[in-house]
Amino acid sequence: MPQEMKAAILYKPGDVRIEMVPKPSPKADEVLIRVKAVGVCGSDVHYYRSGRIGSFVVRKPIILGHECAGEVVAVGRGVKSLKKGDRVAVEPGVPCRRCLPCRTGRYNLCRDVVFLATPPVDGAYCEYITSPEDFTFKIPPNMTFEEGAMIEPLSVGVHACNRGQVKSGDAVVVLGAGPIGLVTLQAARAYGATRVIAADVDSKRLALAKKLGATDVVNAKKKDAVKEVLRLTGGLGVDIAFETAGAVPTTQQTIGVVRTGGVIVWVGLAATDIFPIDVMTAICKEVDIRGIFRYANTYPRAIALVAQKRVNVKALITRRFPLAQVPAALAFAAEQGRKAIKIMITV
Amino acid sequence: MPQEMKAAILYKPGDVRIEMVPKPSPKADEVLIRVKAVGVCGSDVHYYRSGRIGSFVVRKPIILGHECAGEVVAVGRGVKSLKKGDRVAVEPGVPCRRCLPCRTGRYNLCRDVVFLATPPVDGAYCEYITSPEDFTFKIPPNMTFEEGAMIEPLSVGVHACNRGQVKSGDAVVVLGAGPIGLVTLQAARAYGATRVIAADVDSKRLALAKKLGATDVVNAKKKDAVKEVLRLTGGLGVDIAFETAGAVPTTQQTIGVVRTGGVIVWVGLAATDIFPIDVMTAICKEVDIRGIFRYANTYPRAIALVAQKRVNVKALITRRFPLAQVPAALAFAAEQGRKAIKIMITV
Amino acid sequence: MPQEMKAAILYKPGDVRIEMVPKPSPKADEVLIRVKAVGVCGSDVHYYRSGRIGSFVVRKPIILGHECAGEVVAVGRGVKSLKKGDRVAVEPGVPCRRCLPCRTGRYNLCRDVVFLATPPVDGAYCEYITSPEDFTFKIPPNMTFEEGAMIEPLSVGVHACNRGQVKSGDAVVVLGAGPIGLVTLQAARAYGATRVIAADVDSKRLALAKKLGATDVVNAKKKDAVKEVLRLTGGLGVDIAFETAGAVPTTQQTIGVVRTGGVIVWVGLAATDIFPIDVMTAICKEVDIRGIFRYANTYPRAIALVAQKRVNVKALITRRFPLAQVPAALAFAAEQGRKAIKIMITV
Amino acid sequence: MPQEMKAAILYKPGDVRIEMVPKPSPKADEVLIRVKAVGVCGSDVHYYRSGRIGSFVVRKPIILGHECAGEVVAVGRGVKSLKKGDRVAVEPGVPCRRCLPCRTGRYNLCRDVVFLATPPVDGAYCEYITSPEDFTFKIPPNMTFEEGAMIEPLSVGVHACNRGQVKSGDAVVVLGAGPIGLVTLQAARAYGATRVIAADVDSKRLALAKKLGATDVVNAKKKDAVKEVLRLTGGLGVDIAFETAGAVPTTQQTIGVVRTGGVIVWVGLAATDIFPIDVMTAICKEVDIRGIFRYANTYPRAIALVAQKRVNVKALITRRFPLAQVPAALAFAAEQGRKAIKIMITV
């Protein structure tokens, strides 16, 4: 096998170049994967545009991309459960396995996690990556690599539903019908929610939400989302309210749309850190507000949901670019991102 | 309105007569319901056959039947949420609302519950019954009265899934594919279980299980159910094992089919009270075993599941008898019961 | 028995008069109680001072006081578990027992709750009150009536610990060392918290917190409470952070003092409804924020904690007034309230 | 440092010899510990007596002992949080950190756990052992090494209370007042149980239970334990029933002593695997039965409980032997074990 591979490297904001770099080799507990499909995430676009997300700063050239699937082409000597030829989805964050969060099942909160495409760790806009055996999951023959790559964003929706403890018969609202909103609403349906309200300001996204199982949609440009959700629920509010738009007003609305004793899950991060929240109402309604950060223990379940057609992730993929055109893909995403739901890089 | 109504009265084992009895009147917080459909439950057959279930003994003539739906024909003066003409499903057990179980959300464990067709309380094999407003639930226009009556057995399946905490992506087994098994497997699917194995000794019931969403079926007459479940789950066992057959061997098998750290839900009552259990394995696998007794807070959720076609209860109804033929219906159920899944009395 | 009784009646803000009013009679399911001790709660002072709390407005003369204990002097004909002479603590909020919150164990969220001293319902600054049997709890011989009255505020602390799911070995912080802070910290200790940090701006209250079991105290006037809590917990933050001061800054601090993956319980209501919260950090730490509104199912447990000397509520009582001096008591509380922890009315 | 150390080696049942063996060296992520105190566990005695426990068979000479504490004398190059001179308690089971149980916080269920003194892994009846940094916990200056060694059995009690979800105000029974029973009852108290009933057939053990915080004791030789527990709880039964005796009758009694809707925790393993259980009652009471296998994430909490004097483990140590007398200690334990509660080896 050749010792080099093609990769898309971000040098500085707006500057991505396709270059040859050394091909990685798997350690004893790792597999080498020929990447086949990688999604473009909002965080990739963020790094592309501004070179940083919060305290994570691109200080040296980096390969972006962390939503990926591919084929195992080599395995380390300690690997038992995977072999050459296996088709796999890659969980991109590998924790230390030793700290308190890791020991207690919340490894997404590990401070020492190594996460693909989070500076200074390289990601998957390239031909080959390595991944530890236990963070690499077989996908069944009836799943495409693109669907495999979509397991990553779907994991956010699954984790949101786990944190929200969605149960059969629940009424939920998903504020925001972007990629994360659309996987969250589908996950909520798969968890048995019988009322799934989607709210967004974009009528095309709402049409897709409807197609993917929303029982009701609310165009927040035309109607007051809080009033409309209350109207739809007979004045009670929903059992669980998900914020996936990453916006200040929708985050504030979660307090208003949830029923007394209900659960709020804040999934999206707004551009502003600190902003006004109706604490009084949150307390008097005795709500639970739960943040979510990435996900843990979601891959096998998310794969099963897609394999069984309980969740449709294909419908979210609206544009495709080959690896050689990652610069164009990121430029497109940065400039006209809202025109697409999910952009996929095919490698 | 006439002051009398037709009712099927059990005088003693095997002796059921159709007679005219006084029509009940609703109290201030009750509604009067014209019964339209009532299911025949195993417990009805048990009283018919032997005049008792455990410590509940038929000491005076009793009207059986507790799985029922109908139409509201009058309301007590304190009733606000229901009106004449409403189509409703009736939750048949009304608790004291004051004891510790009632106060803590487990009202099914109330010692003073008044339960239809449990001696000495009359049931619903008759034209009219009364029911408290808060235990009477509207059913939507797209649901039939028969489906409304089936909310009662479905509630057992929903409660079993609540107790088992079925989550999306879970693998479950349902041991027994009778009426309760078939609602439990459908409820588990509605809760997101992606692997649903049904086991029974009757191939017709297994065919129905398959039609209703079982991903795998095991004919326990032909194969060792424990081995087969382990084989189907790669040697691990299922996340949650439901026993719904009410048999000694299937109850014992739950310990073997569940994965380490998994959950067992004992739904069915076997004819024998006390029998050998593999306690050592239960402890070493650190399993959770959970009994279930009736259900609580399931009606609105179960109605939503049927209304949304997530659960098919119609398919379970295999025989129908009019009220005047309740004696024949019970005789049929007692003698050839396994030929039917659910017998429905239409009133 | 005489048909009239003495009561302290609030006519308008600042105007409380001692008058004779009709003595209540118990209904079938109620007991008549000779009130012996009633605490002065912040809400009583609020009504006294401004005639309203949020949407609850004093529109006609009202008897205040809802933290009370006394002796049963008569029982309704349906009462079985209580008899004349029983010493009891009174749970002051009686819910409808029928709505969804009531059915699911969260009766504190019942919209139709009847709560003592919440307009227009009269309270307990009087000689006799009635109470339903199931909201009246016997206290053991080794408990005083004053301790019985303190079961009400202690219930808030117990409910806060239930909602916070305090477990043995947890590290907690209680922001605010007023009456509710002091019962919450003691409840947390009784739930097994091994690190209990109390923060307040008043050194006398902190001294009492220390005496009552705080392992560490932080004077927030002298030190940055967030930094100090982080220092005390090795930079990690606490497992559970309780806000009991009902102030904007302390509510904001909860996000900073809690560990990643930790739990925040907002107990106190600030004077401002809507104010800035660090949502970004809440999400990235994946915290749980839980409001609490009154309490449910706490009385028997709270009584057991006091009876067993696990919680010391006596130490909180710093002033006493007889019933005839309720006007003086409320005036004192309104003007110099922070000088007292808990004022008790002895009847 | 010398390259050899003294160790007590079990050659075959009844044959333990003190010999010199190679001293272990710590790997990069391990520390080397000078053992100071090691408890004698029932499992050690079992191997001593019969050379096996279930499928674990002593096939080659083995060093027993897994309840240990000591002093760090060297650290691997990757170790950061521990240094020479640290006094530590050792968690004896090191899991794979990669499988599903490990990833989900239940690492005690890892199939590949390496557990001290479980064939073929050597234990701690010797002068030095190595332990991974993350399974080695500092003990505070006010704790003795013997108390440090007792963290292991206490962990079983803490895990039992975690699984039983003991809450403040709970009533519990502990069936069996041996070492595990006595730590479980103390842990339950530390979790806030206000009623702690201990049952045993040995009056000396019951006297110790009383001294350590049992509110009631039941001599099961003289009284029917089930009837007595019901009598003590007003006919209701306890919230949580722990079986720690590892006996068939006490395991059976758990169904009878627990209240409707209560929780049973089976801690002890009886000599018989499969025996009759009253399944009917378990179901009709809707109980939860939970097995426990070892423990997970208990060490820091258990250390805090001992350091704060919430749990007294010293009182359980009734005999001491030096390392050179391990053969005598095991012989004593095997022959007259019930005379002691916990035997400690001082090294």
Side-chain angles (χ1 to χ4, degrees):
Chain A
M1 280 200 285
Q3 293 314 302
E4 291 210 314
M5 67 170 181
K6 206 182 292 179
I9 299 172
L10 174 74
Y11 276 82
K12 58 177 201 292
D15 178 5
V16 178
R17 306 174 202 167
I18 305 297
E19 296 186 353
M20 295 306 285
V21 299
K23 205 171 90 174
S25 324
K27 289 181 199 143
D29 65 343
E30 291 182 339
V31 297
L32 181 68
I33 296 164
R34 174 62 174 83
V35 177
K36 295 288 190 174
V38 200
V40 175
C41 174
S43 66
D44 296 317
V45 181
H46 220 89
Y47 285 121
Y48 171 78
R49 207 188 263 140
S50 59
R52 68 184 301 161
I53 293 178
S55 58
F56 293 102
V57 181
V58 178
R59 297 187 194 282
K60 52 168 200 168
I62 187 174
I63 302 173
L64 296 175
H66 64 269
E67 304 173 358
C68 70
E71 190 181 316
V72 173
V73 290
V75 303
R77 64 188 151 72
V79 171
K80 288 176 192 166
S81 64
L82 294 170
K83 61 178 194 305
K84 217 179 134 177
D86 281 342
R87 304 165 71 251
V88 293
V90 176
E91 183 170 344
V94 180
C96 81
R97 300 188 175 89
R98 288 160 190 270
C99 66
L100 190 68
C102 282
R103 288 168 75 122
T104 54
R106 298 184 76 175
Y107 62 77
N108 56 317
L109 303 180
C110 172
R111 292 183 175 201
D112 296 322
V113 69
V114 173
F115 204 96
L116 292 186
T118 300
V121 181
D122 278 326
Y125 292 157
C126 58
E127 291 178 302
Y128 295 92
I129 60 165
T130 55
S131 173
E133 179 181 14
D134 55 335
F135 281 78
T136 309
F137 296 87
K138 273 191 232 183
I139 57 175
N142 72 340
M143 266 181 72
T144 64
F145 288 115
E146 289 189 348
E147 288 176 308
M150 291 299 292
I151 297 303
E152 206 279 344
L154 175 54
S155 282
V156 176
V158 167
H159 187 57
C161 289
N162 283 342
R163 287 277 291 157
Q165 295 175 291
V166 179
K167 279 198 306 291
S168 208
D170 275 336
V172 312
V173 70
V174 179
L175 300 174
I180 294 301
L182 292 169
V183 293
T184 301
L185 85 80
Q186 291 189 77
R189 253 191 76 85
Y191 272 69
T194 43
R195 191 77 182 260
V196 182
I197 306 168
D200 201 300
V201 292
D202 181 331
S203 59
K204 275 187 200 162
R205 292 186 165 202
L206 289 175
L208 185 51
K210 191 98 195 187
K211 186 185 145 192
L212 295 175
T215 54
D216 307 84
V217 295
V218 176
N219 189 323
K221 226 181 208 162
K222 300 181 184 164
K223 290 189 179 172
D224 180 310
V226 174
K227 279 187 195 160
E228 192 61 12
V229 171
L230 292 177
R231 190 187 65 79
L232 288 167
T233 53
L236 286 177
V238 293
D239 297 299
I240 300 143
F242 294 97
E243 200 290 330
T244 66
V248 168
T250 42
T251 305
Q252 292 168 326
Q253 286 165 355
T254 52
I255 311 279
V257 294
V258 81
R259 71 164 165 77
T260 297
V263 175
I264 289 165
V265 184
W266 285 341
V267 183
L269 291 172
T272 313
D273 291 21
I274 300 176
F275 52 86
I277 291 293
D278 185 349
V279 171
M280 172 77 79
T281 301
I283 293 176
C284 290
K285 277 183 160 180
E286 202 171 82
V287 300
D288 282 49
I289 301 175
R290 300 175 188 160
I292 80 154
F293 184 70
R294 293 172 179 160
Y295 42 78
N297 296 308
T298 53
Y299 263 64
R301 288 170 190 271
I303 290 169
L305 290 176
V306 172
Q308 290 214 352
K309 315 292 181 204
R310 301 273 185 108
V311 169
N312 177 354
V313 287
K314 261 184 201 164
L316 276 60
I317 304 169
T318 50
R319 279 294 288 264
R320 286 174 183 83
F321 292 85
L323 177 59
Q325 292 180 26
V326 165
L330 288 168
F332 172 80
E335 287 154 31
Q336 317 173 48
R338 276 198 74 84
K339 288 194 190 159
I341 302 281
K342 176 57 69 180
I343 298 165
M344 191 60 65
I345 307 300
T346 55
V347 186
Chain B
M1 280 199 286
Q3 293 315 303
E4 291 210 316
M5 67 170 183
K6 207 183 290 179
I9 299 172
L10 174 74
Y11 277 81
K12 58 177 201 290
D15 177 5
V16 179
R17 308 174 202 167
I18 305 297
E19 297 187 351
M20 295 307 284
V21 298
K23 204 171 90 175
S25 325
K27 290 182 199 141
D29 65 343
E30 290 182 339
V31 297
L32 180 69
I33 296 163
R34 174 62 174 82
V35 177
K36 295 288 190 173
V38 200
V40 176
C41 174
S43 66
D44 297 316
V45 181
H46 220 90
Y47 285 121
Y48 172 79
R49 209 188 264 138
S50 59
R52 68 184 301 159
I53 294 180
S55 58
F56 293 101
V57 181
V58 178
R59 298 189 193 282
K60 51 170 198 167
I62 187 173
I63 303 173
L64 295 174
H66 64 270
E67 305 174 357
C68 70
E71 190 182 316
V72 174
V73 290
V75 304
R77 63 189 152 70
V79 171
K80 289 176 191 165
S81 64
L82 294 170
K83 61 177 195 306
K84 215 180 137 178
D86 282 342
R87 304 166 70 251
V88 294
V90 176
E91 184 170 343
V94 180
C96 82
R97 299 186 175 92
R98 286 157 191 272
C99 65
L100 190 68
C102 282
R103 289 169 74 121
T104 54
R106 299 184 75 173
Y107 62 77
N108 55 316
L109 304 181
C110 172
R111 292 184 176 202
D112 296 322
V113 69
V114 174
F115 204 96
L116 292 187
T118 300
V121 182
D122 278 326
Y125 291 155
C126 58
E127 290 177 303
Y128 296 92
I129 60 166
T130 55
S131 174
E133 179 181 15
D134 55 334
F135 281 77
T136 310
F137 297 88
K138 273 191 231 185
I139 57 174
N142 71 340
M143 266 180 72
T144 63
F145 288 115
E146 289 189 348
E147 288 176 308
M150 291 299 291
I151 296 303
E152 205 278 344
L154 175 54
S155 282
V156 176
V158 167
H159 187 57
C161 289
N162 283 342
R163 287 275 293 157
Q165 296 176 290
V166 178
K167 278 198 306 292
S168 208
D170 275 337
V172 312
V173 71
V174 179
L175 300 174
I180 294 300
L182 292 169
V183 293
T184 301
L185 85 81
Q186 290 191 78
R189 253 191 76 86
Y191 273 68
T194 43
R195 191 78 182 260
V196 183
I197 306 168
D200 201 298
V201 293
D202 181 331
S203 58
K204 275 187 199 162
R205 293 187 163 202
L206 289 175
L208 185 52
K210 191 96 194 189
K211 185 186 147 193
L212 295 175
T215 55
D216 308 84
V217 295
V218 176
N219 190 323
K221 225 181 208 161
K222 299 179 184 166
K223 289 188 180 176
D224 179 310
V226 174
K227 278 187 195 161
E228 191 61 10
V229 171
L230 292 178
R231 191 187 64 78
L232 288 167
T233 53
L236 287 176
V238 293
D239 296 299
I240 301 142
F242 295 96
E243 199 291 330
T244 66
V248 168
T250 42
T251 305
Q252 292 168 325
Q253 286 165 354
T254 53
I255 311 277
V257 294
V258 80
R259 71 163 165 78
T260 297
V263 175
I264 289 165
V265 184
W266 285 342
V267 183
L269 290 172
T272 313
D273 290 21
I274 300 175
F275 52 87
I277 292 293
D278 185 348
V279 171
M280 172 75 80
T281 301
I283 294 176
C284 289
K285 278 183 159 181
E286 203 172 83
V287 299
D288 282 49
I289 302 174
R290 300 176 188 158
I292 81 156
F293 183 70
R294 294 171 179 161
Y295 42 78
N297 297 307
T298 52
Y299 264 64
R301 287 169 190 273
I303 289 169
L305 290 176
V306 172
Q308 289 214 353
K309 316 292 181 203
R310 302 272 187 108
V311 169
N312 177 354
V313 287
K314 262 183 202 166
L316 275 60
I317 305 169
T318 50
R319 279 295 287 266
R320 286 174 182 82
F321 292 84
L323 177 58
Q325 292 179 26
V326 165
L330 288 168
F332 171 80
E335 286 154 33
Q336 318 174 48
R338 275 198 76 83
K339 288 194 190 161
I341 302 283
K342 176 58 68 178
I343 298 165
M344 191 61 64
I345 307 299
T346 55
V347 186
Chain C
M1 281 198 285
Q3 292 314 302
E4 292 211 314
M5 68 171 181
K6 206 182 291 178
I9 299 172
L10 175 73
Y11 276 81
K12 57 176 200 292
D15 177 6
V16 179
R17 306 174 204 167
I18 305 297
E19 297 185 352
M20 293 308 284
V21 298
K23 205 170 91 175
S25 324
K27 289 182 200 142
D29 65 344
E30 291 182 338
V31 297
L32 180 69
I33 296 163
R34 174 62 173 84
V35 177
K36 295 288 189 172
V38 200
V40 175
C41 174
S43 66
D44 297 316
V45 181
H46 220 89
Y47 284 121
Y48 172 78
R49 208 189 263 140
S50 59
R52 68 184 302 160
I53 293 179
S55 58
F56 293 102
V57 181
V58 178
R59 297 188 195 281
K60 51 170 199 167
I62 188 174
I63 301 172
L64 296 174
H66 64 268
E67 305 173 357
C68 69
E71 190 181 316
V72 174
V73 291
V75 303
R77 64 190 150 71
V79 171
K80 288 177 191 166
S81 64
L82 293 170
K83 60 177 196 304
K84 215 178 136 178
D86 281 343
R87 303 166 71 251
V88 294
V90 176
E91 183 170 345
V94 180
C96 82
R97 299 187 176 91
R98 286 160 191 270
C99 65
L100 190 68
C102 282
R103 288 169 75 120
T104 54
R106 298 183 76 174
Y107 63 77
N108 55 317
L109 304 180
C110 172
R111 291 182 177 204
D112 296 321
V113 69
V114 173
F115 204 95
L116 292 187
T118 300
V121 182
D122 277 325
Y125 292 156
C126 58
E127 290 177 304
Y128 295 93
I129 61 167
T130 56
S131 174
E133 178 181 14
D134 54 336
F135 282 76
T136 310
F137 296 87
K138 272 191 232 181
I139 57 173
N142 72 338
M143 267 180 71
T144 64
F145 289 115
E146 289 189 347
E147 288 176 309
M150 291 298 292
I151 296 304
E152 206 279 343
L154 175 55
S155 282
V156 177
V158 167
H159 187 57
C161 289
N162 283 342
R163 287 276 292 157
Q165 295 176 291
V166 179
K167 280 199 304 294
S168 208
D170 276 336
V172 312
V173 70
V174 179
L175 300 175
I180 294 300
L182 292 170
V183 292
T184 301
L185 86 80
Q186 290 189 76
R189 254 190 76 87
Y191 273 67
T194 44
R195 192 77 183 259
V196 182
I197 306 168
D200 200 301
V201 293
D202 180 332
S203 58
K204 274 187 199 161
R205 291 185 165 204
L206 289 174
L208 184 52
K210 191 97 194 187
K211 185 185 147 193
L212 295 175
T215 55
D216 307 85
V217 295
V218 176
N219 189 324
K221 226 182 208 163
K222 299 180 183 164
K223 290 190 179 171
D224 180 309
V226 174
K227 278 187 196 162
E228 191 62 10
V229 170
L230 292 178
R231 190 186 66 78
L232 288 167
T233 54
L236 286 177
V238 293
D239 296 299
I240 300 144
F242 295 96
E243 199 291 330
T244 65
V248 169
T250 42
T251 304
Q252 292 168 325
Q253 286 165 356
T254 52
I255 311 279
V257 294
V258 81
R259 70 163 166 79
T260 296
V263 175
I264 289 166
V265 184
W266 285 342
V267 183
L269 291 171
T272 314
D273 290 20
I274 300 176
F275 52 86
I277 291 293
D278 185 347
V279 170
M280 172 76 80
T281 301
I283 294 176
C284 290
K285 277 182 160 179
E286 202 171 84
V287 299
D288 282 49
I289 302 174
R290 300 176 188 159
I292 81 154
F293 183 70
R294 292 170 180 162
Y295 42 78
N297 297 309
T298 52
Y299 263 64
R301 287 169 191 272
I303 290 169
L305 290 176
V306 173
Q308 289 214 353
K309 315 293 180 203
R310 300 271 186 110
V311 169
N312 177 354
V313 287
K314 261 185 202 164
L316 275 61
I317 305 169
T318 50
R319 280 293 288 264
R320 287 174 182 83
F321 292 85
L323 177 58
Q325 292 180 26
V326 165
L330 287 168
F332 172 80
E335 286 154 33
Q336 317 173 48
R338 276 197 75 82
K339 288 194 190 160
I341 302 282
K342 176 58 69 181
I343 298 165
M344 192 59 67
I345 307 300
T346 54
V347 185
Chain D
M1 280 199 286
Q3 294 314 303
E4 292 210 313
M5 66 171 182
K6 205 183 291 180
I9 299 171
L10 174 73
Y11 276 82
K12 58 175 203 289
D15 176 5
V16 179
R17 308 175 201 167
I18 305 298
E19 296 186 353
M20 294 306 284
V21 299
K23 205 170 92 174
S25 326
K27 290 181 198 142
D29 66 343
E30 291 182 340
V31 297
L32 180 69
I33 297 163
R34 175 61 175 85
V35 177
K36 295 288 191 173
V38 200
V40 175
C41 174
S43 66
D44 297 314
V45 181
H46 220 89
Y47 284 121
Y48 172 79
R49 210 187 263 138
S50 59
R52 69 184 300 160
I53 294 180
S55 58
F56 294 101
V57 181
V58 179
R59 296 188 195 283
K60 52 169 199 166
I62 187 173
I63 302 173
L64 295 174
H66 64 269
E67 305 174 357
C68 71
E71 190 181 318
V72 173
V73 291
V75 304
R77 63 189 152 70
V79 171
K80 288 176 191 164
S81 64
L82 293 171
K83 60 177 195 306
K84 217 180 134 174
D86 282 343
R87 304 165 71 250
V88 293
V90 176
E91 183 170 345
V94 180
C96 82
R97 299 186 174 91
R98 286 158 192 272
C99 65
L100 190 68
C102 282
R103 287 169 75 122
T104 54
R106 299 183 75 174
Y107 63 77
N108 55 317
L109 304 181
C110 172
R111 291 184 176 203
D112 296 323
V113 69
V114 173
F115 205 96
L116 292 188
T118 301
V121 181
D122 277 326
Y125 291 156
C126 58
E127 290 177 304
Y128 296 92
I129 61 166
T130 56
S131 174
E133 179 181 14
D134 55 335
F135 281 77
T136 310
F137 297 87
K138 273 191 231 184
I139 57 174
N142 71 340
M143 266 180 72
T144 64
F145 287 115
E146 289 189 347
E147 287 176 308
M150 291 300 291
I151 296 303
E152 207 278 343
L154 175 54
S155 283
V156 176
V158 167
H159 187 57
C161 289
N162 283 341
R163 287 276 292 158
Q165 296 176 290
V166 179
K167 280 199 304 295
S168 208
D170 275 336
V172 312
V173 71
V174 179
L175 300 174
I180 294 300
L182 292 169
V183 292
T184 300
L185 86 81
Q186 290 190 77
R189 253 191 76 86
Y191 273 68
T194 43
R195 191 78 182 258
V196 183
I197 306 168
D200 200 299
V201 293
D202 180 331
S203 58
K204 275 187 200 163
R205 293 186 165 202
L206 289 174
L208 185 51
K210 191 97 194 188
K211 184 185 148 192
L212 295 174
T215 54
D216 307 84
V217 295
V218 176
N219 190 323
K221 225 182 208 160
K222 299 179 184 165
K223 289 188 179 175
D224 179 310
V226 174
K227 278 187 197 163
E228 191 62 10
V229 170
L230 292 177
R231 191 187 65 77
L232 288 167
T233 54
L236 288 176
V238 292
D239 297 299
I240 301 143
F242 296 96
E243 198 291 330
T244 65
V248 168
T250 43
T251 305
Q252 293 169 325
Q253 286 165 353
T254 53
I255 311 277
V257 293
V258 80
R259 70 162 165 80
T260 297
V263 175
I264 290 166
V265 184
W266 285 342
V267 182
L269 291 172
T272 314
D273 291 21
I274 300 176
F275 52 87
I277 291 294
D278 185 349
V279 170
M280 172 76 80
T281 301
I283 294 177
C284 290
K285 278 182 160 181
E286 203 172 82
V287 299
D288 282 49
I289 302 174
R290 300 176 187 158
I292 82 156
F293 183 69
R294 292 171 180 162
Y295 43 78
N297 297 307
T298 52
Y299 264 64
R301 287 171 190 272
I303 290 169
L305 290 176
V306 173
Q308 289 215 353
K309 316 292 181 204
R310 301 273 187 109
V311 169
N312 177 354
V313 286
K314 261 184 201 165
L316 275 61
I317 305 169
T318 49
R319 279 294 287 264
R320 288 174 182 82
F321 292 84
L323 177 58
Q325 292 180 25
V326 165
L330 287 167
F332 172 80
E335 286 154 32
Q336 317 174 47
R338 276 197 74 85
K339 288 194 190 160
I341 302 282
K342 176 59 68 180
I343 298 165
M344 191 60 65
I345 306 300
T346 54
V347 185

